[in-house]
Amino acid sequence: MEELATVSTTVTELRFALDTFYFLISGALVMWMAAGFAMLEAGLVRSKNTTEILTKNICLYSIACVMFLLVGYNIMYVDNAEGGIIPSLGALIGTQAADADHSLESDFFFQVVFVATAMSIVSGAVAERMKLWAFLIFTVVLTGFIYPLEGYWTWGGGFLSEAGFSDFAGSGIVHMAGAAAALAGVLLLGARKGKYGENGQVFPIPGSNMPLATLGTFILWMGWFGFNGGSQLMVSDAENATAVGKIFLNTNAAAAAGAVAALLLNKVVWGKADLTMILNGALAGLVAITADPLSPSPLFASLIGALAGVLVVFSIVGFDKVKIDDPVGAISVHGVVGFFGVMIVPFSNADASFGSQLYGALVIFGWVFVASLVVWTILKKTMGIRVSDEDEYNGVDKSDCGIEAYPEFVSVNS
């Protein structure tokens, strides 16, 4: 009997170690998405604004890690009541549960990189005309308070989870939330100079480095396997290992189908293979499948990705028509498609309902948008959120950072 007990204990410890290791590796993949966002955004802004967007990306990741450790994780997970609205406040990340199947520290690490992902969405949408320090102050509020509260309502056991809202890895909780914060900022910020003319004219402002943008997309694509696969939380038995395999398959299939759909749509409508639309098509497929990468068949996952790839193209064009300037298409990719991803779940998951999904999506968007709008408005009234016309013309690399990313080639007209 003692030998059997020893064997059982050893197996339990091995499973604990394996699941902890899988959580950490998945978190590391999601952390690598920060590099993907940085490269994507650096490629899609003009050369005179490259250093500043890179500064925003590394600083937002660092601030997110600090704020989520100090307050965010506590708000989202520690000692909260089931089905509640207001979280309790304990100490940092709490204590390890006796029956946990992975370490508490690995859980924190996996969750904190999700917070940084949500904030990364904002940086691209407000690029090329927002003050660096206004952006960083907003980062403190979003990652420390706004995101963790809606995270408690959903993944933390709050009232949305009790209402049946289903979002496996965060099409709404992470991506649409980030887009809601971005939209609030963009509406107050206004468009870049020269982007829109009279009579509905739209003047494209090309990015400076398509190789970097493409590299960033591939990095994000790779990191998404940790984003979705890690959200299974376990890999130490046959059932969960099989589920992780299917999640990887569906995640990849949706991204590929999104890219192909965007390619074909651009060829049919405009006669060109627009690389930026293809990149956003792949990202749209990834965002859409994130709400439930396990339930669909591979073919249905591909269909979800393809629909997302088409949707994002029309969304980007539509936002331009109403003069909402988003240099990287983040609001379309993460917001419009994030909502689509949440609402498509009931087609493959019988446990989800359209009513619960719509309710959850509206609550998340409403909370993050209104709270962000309030914070952006306060910042606008106090320190200002937009750089001067001169700094925008010369590039915010000079005014905010004092370092040019391409000193040999940059010009004020780039």
Side-chain angles (χ1 to χ4, degrees):
M1 293 296 293
E2 291 182 4
E3 291 180 354
L4 288 175
T6 300
V7 169
S8 177
T9 301
T10 302
V11 170
T12 300
E13 290 177 346
L14 286 173
R15 292 187 62 181
F16 183 93
L18 179 58
D19 287 332
T20 295
F21 181 72
Y22 178 65
F23 231 28
L24 291 171
I25 293 301
S26 296
L29 282 172
V30 181
M31 182 272 172
W32 187 230
M33 291 174 69
F37 278 111
M39 295 300 96
L40 175 66
E41 293 169 15
L44 293 180
V45 301
R46 287 167 288 183
S47 56
K48 63 186 178 181
N49 299 313
T50 305
T51 298
E52 197 258 4
I53 200 69
L54 295 174
T55 303
K56 281 180 177 175
N57 273 272
I58 194 166
C59 289
L60 76 85
Y61 178 81
S62 303
I63 291 170
C65 291
V66 171
M67 290 304 300
F68 202 62
L69 174 62
L70 294 178
V71 292
Y73 187 87
N74 192 275
I75 291 172
M76 193 164 171
Y77 287 112
V78 179
D79 299 329
N80 287 325
E82 293 291 328
I85 297 176
I86 305 299
S88 64
L89 293 174
L92 288 183
I93 65 173
T95 56
Q96 178 77 53
D99 60 347
D101 48 38
H102 55 265
S103 77
L104 178 62
E105 292 78 9
S106 67
D107 185 79
F108 170 81
F109 177 65
F110 186 71
Q111 295 297 334
V112 75
V113 290
F114 274 57
V115 186
T117 297
M119 190 62 216
S120 294
I121 294 164
V122 182
S123 62
V126 301
E128 301 202 292
R129 73 269 200 212
M130 174 167 278
K131 289 182 177 179
L132 174 62
W133 285 97
F135 175 84
L136 297 181
I137 291 172
F138 179 80
T139 300
V140 171
V141 181
L142 179 76
T143 59
F145 303 98
I146 297 175
Y147 172 90
L149 186 55
E150 60 99 0
Y152 159 54
W153 294 339
T154 49
W155 288 334
F159 75 97
L160 287 182
S161 63
E162 292 291 306
F165 177 68
S166 177
D167 190 358
F168 184 86
S171 288
I173 297 167
V174 178
H175 295 280
M176 188 180 65
L183 178 61
V186 167
L187 291 177
L188 290 177
L189 191 61
R192 291 168 291 175
K193 299 294 183 183
K195 175 65 176 177
Y196 302 115
E198 298 177 357
N199 302 319
Q201 292 175 298
V202 179
F203 300 103
I205 302 178
S208 63
N209 195 321
M210 289 301 101
L212 270 189
T214 304
L215 175 63
T217 301
F218 274 120
I219 292 173
L220 288 168
W221 193 327
M222 177 182 175
W224 232 286
F225 295 123
F227 201 97
N228 287 354
S231 295
Q232 183 64 21
L233 308 183
M234 294 180 65
V235 73
S236 59
D237 58 46
E239 180 181 359
N240 282 290
T242 301
V244 169
K246 186 177 181 183
I247 289 169
F248 272 54
L249 189 162
N250 284 347
T251 299
N252 191 65
V260 171
L263 165 67
L264 295 177
L265 178 63
N266 274 268
K267 178 61 178 176
V268 170
V269 177
W270 294 284
K272 303 289 183 181
D274 187 326
L275 176 61
T276 61
M277 290 296 191
I278 296 168
L279 299 179
N280 279 328
L283 295 174
L286 290 164
V287 170
I289 200 63
T290 294
D292 189 350
L294 179 57
S295 298
S297 68
L299 285 179
F300 190 59
S302 300
L303 177 61
I304 292 172
L307 291 174
V310 171
L311 176 62
V312 76
V313 173
F314 285 120
S315 177
I316 290 171
V317 173
F319 276 119
D320 268 341
K321 287 184 177 179
V322 295
K323 298 185 177 181
I324 294 178
D325 184 16
D326 179 357
V328 303
I331 298 171
S332 295
V333 171
H334 302 276
V336 174
V337 176
F339 176 75
F340 166 75
V342 167
M343 295 307 301
I344 204 75
V345 170
F347 283 102
S348 59
N349 187 339
D351 294 330
S353 70
F354 291 106
S356 295
Q357 295 301 96
L358 180 61
Y359 174 58
L362 291 177
V363 169
I364 292 169
F365 181 86
W367 159 247
V368 178
F369 179 80
V370 172
S372 299
L373 191 65
V374 170
V375 177
W376 287 127
T377 300
I378 293 172
L379 290 171
K380 184 175 182 178
K381 296 294 184 181
T382 52
M383 65 185 299
I385 61 175
R386 183 161 186 145
V387 300
S388 67
D389 290 350
E390 180 181 2
D391 287 341
E392 184 176 352
Y393 179 76
N394 291 327
V396 288
D397 283 3
K398 290 182 178 180
S399 59
D400 279 344
C401 302
I403 300 174
E404 295 173 351
Y406 308 105
E408 297 90 349
F409 307 107
V410 72
S411 71
V412 295
N413 295 316
S414 61

